[in-house]
Amino acid sequence: GAGVSQSPRYKVAKRGQDVALRCDPISGHVSLFWYQQALGQGPEFLTYFQNEAQLDKSGLPSDRFFAERPEGSVSTLKIQRTQQEDSAVYLCASHDGAGAFFGQGTRLTVV
Amino acid sequence: ELKVEQNPLFLSMQEGKNYTIYCNYSTTSDRLYWYRQDPGKSLESLFVLLSNGAVKQEGRLMASLDTKARLSTLHITAAVHDLSATYFCAALQTSGSRLTFGEGTQLTVNP
């Protein structure tokens, strides 16, 4: 596709439920980032992949958060046992020399 | 750790006026990005600045980079209502593994 695609666009989860968020980056982009954006704030770094290798996961807030990119293309961010503080927009970006391009995001609401 | 600070955080201006948003970053960075975000939307890439003295212009927006001062500016010329949005700057760490965002500047252009 022409841009970064994320799904679902919206997700409502009951507290304690597991969720999986998908990111389909721009074809050929080696670098992929996940960010978390709380309402009214700037995006906060979660994790970074270069191809299939997760080179930096220092931004993941707890061990309930897990990300993978097994074939170096599509990436999945999984959140286990969701809590209310996980409610945010999760943004994926893929990057090349020209810039970092963001998807539309997944708005997660934990109730 | 790379830190990015923007000011002002809130900016209300009249149509036709000029203003500048400032972005300071704490350590050496490979490149500097400016994004626009409309409410409920994702981040739209505006500019990528790659080297000291870089200046880019698009319409009423002009961005510049001074790597020695670790400062980037986004200048708005003759503002129009359509420019109302939140503007973020972000700096890429030299390792290329993390894009760190400022807090954002919420711009409101009043008729």
Side-chain angles (χ1 to χ4, degrees), chain A residues 1-22:
Chain A
V4 178
S5 177
Q6 291 187 246
S7 61
R9 289 290 312 280
Y10 304 92
K11 176 70 179 178
V12 178
K14 291 185 178 179
R15 191 169 52 181
Q17 187 179 353
D18 297 350
V19 298
L21 312 180
R22 176 188 167 107

Side-chain angles (χ1 to χ4, degrees), chain B residues 36-72:
Chain B
R36 169 182 172 143
Q37 188 174 41
D38 291 287
K41 305 285 185 172
S42 189
L43 295 155
E44 174 191 353
S45 180
L46 295 174
F47 301 106
V48 181
L49 302 168
L50 301 178
S51 60
N52 188 43
V55 176
K56 291 194 175 179
Q57 184 163 5
E58 181 74 33
R60 301 174 188 275
L61 301 178
M62 183 174 70
S64 66
L65 178 62
D66 180 344
T67 58
K68 294 180 181 176
R70 294 180 187 154
L71 171 68
S72 180

Side-chain angles (χ1 to χ4, degrees), chain A residues 35 37 58 95 97-98 100 103, chain B residues 31 33 35 37 42 48 97-99:
Chain A
Y35 283 82
Q37 187 175 24
S58 61
H95 180 264
Chain B
R31 58 191 66 186
Y33 300 80
Y35 290 91
Q37 188 174 41
S42 189
V48 181
S97 68
R98 182 184 297 220
L99 197 58

Side-chain angles (χ1 to χ4, degrees), chain B residues 4-24:
Chain B
V4 179
E5 292 185 350
Q6 284 180 240
N7 74 84
L9 299 183
F10 299 93
L11 177 56
S12 181
M13 54 191 299
Q14 284 189 310
E15 280 191 328
K17 297 293 187 183
N18 305 333
Y19 209 83
T20 301
I21 299 170
Y22 297 88
C23 174
N24 288 92

